[in-house]
Amino acid sequence: MNPSNNVVPLHTPNKIDEEASIWLVRLDSGNLSEQSRKELKAWLAADERHQVALKAMAEIWDDMDEILNNIDEKASSNKISLWAVLKPVTAPAMLAASISFIALFIWLMMPLDVTKNSYITVKGQQIETTFKDGSIIHLNTDSHIETEFSAEKRLVKLIKGEALFEVAHDANRPFIVYAGDRLVQAIGTKFVVHLKPKNIQVTVTDGKVKMSKVHHNANIADIKALDNTVIQKDDVYLTKGEKAVVAENKTPTLTHVASDNMTRELSWLDGQLIFDNEALFDVIEEINRYIDVTLVLKEPSLHDIKISGRFELGDSEALIEALELSFNIESQRLGSNKILLTKKA
């Protein structure tokens, strides 16, 4: 055969065997880092011959039992049931080593360091959570979020309510909040997302975020599968001091939030609510988010009364007293969970 006619593939069987041997040596060391594990998973997925070679090497590896000591007992105890879904090994002498390799292989292919949590607050309650990466989430009253942090992405689904996010910068792990039909991706920043019945509000207090449109009612697995690096035509970027308000399937409305207004919007973080010449209807709607009773305005003529003041969270009595003294309003308790506000006769 003419040597000049021989074409040598980039990954010959010998080359693959050598790579498989190197990986087994690294496994045998018992000190495989997360980065190395990711590289091994990529190598296994790149060519089906890689899995075959690694399995063959494992079967003849003298110290395979030593490797298996680094695998948790649960994975090892499941080896019989795992074996049933894979190709049988025809050589009985190789059975034990092959099943052991299967346990090792499945351990390798499991998700890396995925942390899932759910956080819920009731009316009047607020919580603050700091994650391992240094990011902080402040969850406001009557709110609910689900989180999934992995080596690739940091995902938060805002199911209900409002939360402020202080994001620790990590260029390799995007921080993405999903609410309604919008994704909000942080670019090293601090921002608030408020999921309301009629719209979504995003306010940036520091840094920059990107808002993208997605399908409504997606789950975290769907969001995780999205390519967040793709730029869509309807993406909106917000920077410090900007606020976006968007209803489902609508175009966001962007406004600039003055420093004083930003302080008022974030006053809940300090246990207060601050109002400055705001309609009573809007004030009552906000107060009702924090108290167990519901304040109800009886007459529409009361809706546009302008209110200014500072109130402690949950202190509805102070608001009612101020209305009675200043605006000729009286209150009437209806049952245990409703207070009716009416004009005095």
Side-chain angles (χ1 to χ4, degrees), residues 23-314:
W23 277 117
L24 278 179
V25 169
R26 297 177 70 180
L27 285 168
D28 189 37
S29 70
N31 190 29
L32 198 66
S33 66
E34 287 190 0
Q35 180 60 36
S36 295
R37 187 175 156 193
K38 288 172 64 176
E39 292 171 0
L40 175 53
K41 289 173 66 175
W43 182 80
L44 289 169
D47 190 324
E48 62 181 13
R49 294 176 297 170
H50 293 176
Q51 298 182 24
V52 174
L54 189 58
K55 179 176 179 297
M57 287 292 170
E59 288 174 346
I60 62 174
W61 194 257
D62 291 338
D63 296 324
M64 191 62 189
D65 288 340
E66 185 72 17
I67 298 175
L68 293 178
N69 287 336
N70 296 323
I71 305 175
D72 61 40
E73 294 180 2
K74 182 177 179 182
S76 299
S77 66
N78 289 337
K79 61 187 180 184
I80 296 177
S81 60
L82 294 171
W83 178 249
V85 300
L86 295 158
K87 291 183 178 180
V89 177
T90 56
M94 298 299 183
L95 182 60
S98 298
I99 295 175
S100 297
F101 173 77
I102 291 166
L104 174 62
F105 180 74
I106 289 178
W107 173 74
L108 287 168
M109 298 308 289
M110 287 191 302
L112 290 169
D113 193 23
V114 176
T115 303
K116 298 182 180 182
N117 285 295
S118 181
Y119 303 89
I120 300 175
T121 57
V122 298
K123 277 196 173 185
Q125 181 188 22
Q126 297 170 331
I127 60 174
E128 176 184 307
T129 299
T130 302
F131 292 88
K132 290 182 179 179
D133 70 330
S135 296
I136 302 172
I137 296 179
H138 306 263
L139 196 61
N140 201 0
T141 177
D142 197 20
S143 300
H144 180 192
I145 62 171
E146 292 178 353
T147 66
E148 179 175 316
F149 281 36
S150 69
E152 291 80 26
K153 292 181 179 180
R154 295 168 290 174
L155 303 177
V156 178
K157 181 176 181 179
L158 178 60
I159 298 171
K160 179 183 181 183
E162 181 179 25
L164 181 143
F165 305 93
E166 297 184 54
V167 181
H169 180 69
D170 187 340
N172 297 317
R173 296 174 68 208
F175 190 105
I176 300 172
V177 178
Y178 167 58
D181 65 344
R182 302 289 155 168
L183 287 186
V184 183
Q185 180 174 335
I187 307 174
T189 187
K190 182 177 178 180
F191 63 101
V192 178
V193 180
H194 189 179
L195 181 58
K196 305 185 76 171
K198 295 183 179 180
N199 58 48
I200 302 161
Q201 300 183 4
V202 177
T203 306
V204 179
T205 66
D206 193 23
K208 183 178 181 181
V209 304
K210 180 178 78 171
M211 176 188 284
S212 305
K213 189 177 183 305
V214 292
H215 292 298
H216 191 76
N217 290 329
N219 56 42
I220 283 190
D222 296 329
I223 301 305
K224 188 175 182 179
L226 294 176
D227 184 354
N228 57 284
T229 63
V230 175
I231 298 176
Q232 304 178 41
K233 64 179 182 179
D234 55 355
D235 284 349
V236 174
Y237 290 86
L238 292 83
T239 57
K240 181 179 180 179
E242 290 186 321
K243 178 177 184 176
V245 178
V246 56
E248 185 175 348
N249 292 321
K250 302 296 183 181
T251 300
T253 300
L254 269 63
T255 58
H256 179 76
V257 182
S259 177
D260 289 347
N261 291 336
M262 186 71 77
T263 299
R264 285 194 292 274
E265 288 201 16
L266 299 180
S267 61
W268 58 269
L269 291 167
D270 297 320
Q272 297 181 330
L273 291 178
I274 303 174
F275 303 104
D276 182 22
N277 201 35
E278 297 181 44
L280 179 57
F281 180 85
D282 296 330
V283 171
I284 294 298
E285 186 178 57
E286 185 67 9
I287 291 285
N288 280 339
R289 295 176 59 205
Y290 297 87
I291 59 178
D292 291 330
V293 298
T294 301
L295 303 180
V296 179
L297 294 175
K298 183 176 181 181
E299 294 97 349
S301 60
L302 298 175
H303 290 189
D304 294 328
I305 293 176
K306 298 302 181 182
I307 296 292
S308 297
R310 183 188 300 263
F311 303 92
E312 298 296 321
L313 286 181

Side-chain angles (χ1 to χ4, degrees), residues 280 284 287 295 307 311 315-332 339 341 344:
L280 179 57
I284 294 298
I287 291 285
L295 303 180
I307 296 292
F311 303 92
D315 189 2
S316 57
E317 296 301 325
L319 173 64
I320 293 171
E321 183 179 345
L323 293 174
E324 291 177 333
L325 292 174
S326 304
F327 297 97
N328 199 35
I329 290 175
E330 63 181 3
S331 62
Q332 178 184 1
I339 295 176
L341 301 177
K344 287 183 179 178

